[in-house]
């Protein structure tokens, strides 16, 4: 999520790719295919799309948080139908954040505004609401191979875990993965965050689950340098780490700014965040970095680029420039968000191509 900042005059270089010399056998690139969106056709109007997922048949589901709306498109990107009315009743949404699909093709929607899960069939007919035994504001949501629910949270207290697994009925089964950013203050109780709220981006995380549902990718929102994306098995053990250095980024400068609360002018010219992690169908890992450039404390530009790693964690390609990404489908089409000068929002579809 996160508020989209309008950056005028920033030119995105479509389809630009740099191939890493590390792996001569593979050439990875993002190639622009098409755009979806309209200012006049109601079903194609987007306000703030936050996630795109596909089912086994290739139907595409787009969650628009601020509308709020959940839209279904055919595999050829023809509009099928949509739901979404603001409220707290059955099937209604308040601030929907995440969707995932189960093996039957049902769409599960986590709504942070209502702190509940709603389940819809593949045609977006409301089936049921699921109340979780442990209600939190969660930061991501996946369905496991067995059909259980995993929710990630922003753990702030030293003994808190990040992932919580629930039964399909919402009963808490277990929690796992206790892990903290080296820059994060160690808190003894949740109430302490009031005094440390400026450090919140060191607690916030980015997560994804692979297609086989046996590997979770994890990173913190504000990374170290080189950044690290840890791959975790379902026992909560780190099995591999993907890592790459970000040019001209001094993570210590941002920390110093938070500590001293001086104007950014004096301290940092670059803010870096991990925007999104996506797994491809072949378990390649795409990590999208957000780079905000500042001059005398004023935001000058926001850019997004992606690094792509092999399943073994080797860097295959770096600095693939695109819009802010919100999802990937089963055919490895990648979905980004483009905000036009008029304020209209379009979804840009890229094909992620890997050539041997």
């Amino acid at each position: 999520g996160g508020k989209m900042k309008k950056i005028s005059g920033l030119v995105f270089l479509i389809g630009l790719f740099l191939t890493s010399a590390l792996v001569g056998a593979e050439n990875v690139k993002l190639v622009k295919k098409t755009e979806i969106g309209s200012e006049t056709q109601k079903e194609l109007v987007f306000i703030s799309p936050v996630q795109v997922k596909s089912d086994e048949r290739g139907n595409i589901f787009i969650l628009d948080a601020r509308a709020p709306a959940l839209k279904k498109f055919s595999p050829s990107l023809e509009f099928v139908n949509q739901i979404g009315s603001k409220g707290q009743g059955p099937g209604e949404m308040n601030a929907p954040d995440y969707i995932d699909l189960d093996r039957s093709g049902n769409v599960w929607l986590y709504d942070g505004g209502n702190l509940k899960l709603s389940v819809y069939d593949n045609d977006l007919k409301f089936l049921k609401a699921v109340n979780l035994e442990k209600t939190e504001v969660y930061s991501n949501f996946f369905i496991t191979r067995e059909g259980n629910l995993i929710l990630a949270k922003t753990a702030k207290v030293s003994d808190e875990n990040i992932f919580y697994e629930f039964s399909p009925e919402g009963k808490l089964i277990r929690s796992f993965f206790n892990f903290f950013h080296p820059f994060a203050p160690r808190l003894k109780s949740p109430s302490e965050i009031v005094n440390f709220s400026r450090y919140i981006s060191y607690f916030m995380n980015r997560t994804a689950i692979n297609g086989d549902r046996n590997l979770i990718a994890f990173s913190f929102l504000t990374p170290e340098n080189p950044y690290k994306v840890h791959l975790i098995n379902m026992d909560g053990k780190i099995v591999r780490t993907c890592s790459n250095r970000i040019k001209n980024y001094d993570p210590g400068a941002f920390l110093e700014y938070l500590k001293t609360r001086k104007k950014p002018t004096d301290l940092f010219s670059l803010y870096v965040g991990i925007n999104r992690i996506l797994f491809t169908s072949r378990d390649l890992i795409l990590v999208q970095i957000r780079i905000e450039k500042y001059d005398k404390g004023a935001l000058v530009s926001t850019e997004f680029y992606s690094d792509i790693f092999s399943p073994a964690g080797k860097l295959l390609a770096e600095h693939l420039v695109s819009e802010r990404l919100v999802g990937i489908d089963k055919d490895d089409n990648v979905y980004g968000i483009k905000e036009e000068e008029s304020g209209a929002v379009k979804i840009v579809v890229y094909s992620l191509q890997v050539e041997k």
Side-chain angles (χ1 to χ4, degrees):
K3 288 185 183 124
M4 287 174 65
K5 292 195 177 105
K6 282 191 187 178
I7 307 294
S8 58
L10 181 64
V11 179
F12 285 107
L13 304 172
I14 305 290
L16 177 76
F17 63 94
L18 296 176
T19 306
S20 167
L22 296 175
V23 182
E26 302 205 66
N27 181 355
V28 185
K29 55 186 175 179
L30 282 174
V31 178
K32 185 178 170 181
K33 281 173 73 170
T34 187
E35 292 185 358
I36 328 171
S38 162
E39 288 182 70
T40 51
Q41 218 180 319
K42 195 169 169 239
E43 61 268 22
L44 295 180
V45 172
F46 297 103
I47 300 171
S48 176
V50 290
Q51 201 167 28
V52 176
K53 291 255 169 122
S54 72
D55 65 14
E56 289 300 309
R57 294 194 293 272
N59 294 305
I60 306 296
F61 296 86
I62 301 176
L63 180 62
D64 192 328
R66 295 227 313 269
L70 176 59
K71 299 175 191 269
K72 178 180 179 179
F73 291 80
S74 72
S76 57
L77 296 178
E78 297 294 317
F79 175 79
V80 178
N81 65 332
Q82 76 172 57
I83 52 164
S85 54
K86 205 165 173 65
Q88 296 174 326
E92 292 181 329
M93 308 170 192
N94 192 357
D97 297 298
Y98 311 106
I99 50 172
D100 205 356
L101 285 92
D102 64 22
R103 284 187 160 173
S104 311
N106 297 322
V107 185
W108 293 62
L109 180 151
Y110 174 71
D111 185 340
N114 286 331
L115 292 179
K116 70 174 180 186
L117 282 155
S118 294
V119 188
Y120 306 88
D121 71 10
N122 200 264
D123 298 316
L124 302 184
K125 184 170 155 282
F126 177 70
L127 297 177
K128 62 177 179 178
V130 175
N131 292 308
L132 298 170
E133 189 183 325
K134 184 180 171 66
T135 54
E136 298 265 356
V137 177
Y138 290 103
S139 60
N140 209 344
F141 159 63
F142 324 114
I143 297 174
T144 68
R145 198 186 280 184
E146 299 75 33
N148 288 334
L149 318 170
I150 288 187
L151 288 101
K153 68 169 278 190
T154 300
K156 304 181 194 82
V157 178
S158 299
D159 58 356
E160 270 184 313
N161 287 331
I162 287 166
F163 297 105
Y164 291 77
E165 184 172 355
F166 298 85
S167 73
E169 296 74 42
K171 186 164 175 44
L172 182 63
I173 298 169
R174 63 171 183 143
S175 68
F176 60 99
F177 199 58
N178 176 262
F179 197 74
F180 281 85
H181 195 298
F183 292 175
R186 294 303 161 97
L187 309 182
K188 301 272 190 301
S189 77
S191 58
E192 284 183 67
I193 193 65
V194 176
N195 303 321
F196 293 97
S197 57
R198 63 189 181 280
Y199 294 100
I200 193 70
S201 72
Y202 294 130
F203 295 108
M204 293 168 83
N205 52 55
R206 293 287 185 251
T207 51
I209 196 164
N210 69 341
D212 288 339
R213 310 283 166 144
N214 60 5
L215 209 55
I216 293 173
F218 171 90
S219 78
F220 289 104
L221 170 62
T222 302
E224 302 164 74
N225 199 13
Y227 69 80
K228 297 183 180 78
V229 173
H230 300 293
L231 302 179
I232 305 156
N233 65 19
M234 295 324 253
D235 297 326
K237 301 275 184 299
I238 295 175
V239 290
R240 280 184 295 291
T241 299
C242 303
S243 182
N244 196 16
R245 182 162 284 284
I246 300 163
K247 281 192 191 111
N248 307 320
Y249 169 48
D250 174 8
F254 184 64
L255 177 65
E256 193 60 27
Y257 161 62
L258 293 179
K259 279 182 179 166
T260 59
R261 300 189 185 187
K262 282 185 186 164
K263 282 194 190 134
T265 336
D266 311 331
L267 288 164
F268 74 102
S269 56
L270 217 60
Y271 171 75
V272 170
I274 303 289
N275 178 59
R276 181 78 57 160
I277 307 169
L278 299 170
F279 278 99
T280 74
S281 60
R282 292 175 43 202
D283 271 0
L284 301 185
I285 300 109
L286 183 155
V287 181
Q288 189 176 52
I289 315 287
R290 175 192 185 107
I291 297 203
E292 294 177 2
K293 292 183 176 164
Y294 290 84
D295 182 30
K296 301 188 178 65
L299 180 63
V300 180
S301 68
T302 304
E303 293 165 31
F304 295 93
Y305 72 79
S306 301
D307 292 344
I308 297 178
F309 296 87
S310 75
K314 274 180 101 168
L315 184 67
L316 298 181
E318 56 185 346
H319 291 103
L320 304 192
V321 176
S322 74
E323 286 77 15
R324 181 173 67 90
L325 299 180
V326 290
I328 190 167
D329 66 23
K330 72 174 190 63
D331 299 316
D332 292 344
N333 295 307
V334 180
Y335 295 77
I337 302 300
K338 181 169 86 173
E339 197 168 345
E340 305 202 311
E341 294 286 321
S342 63
V345 174
K346 295 258 175 82
I347 291 184
V348 184
V349 187
Y350 296 89
S351 166
L352 181 67
Q353 297 181 358
V354 181
E355 292 157 9
K356 286 277 180 196

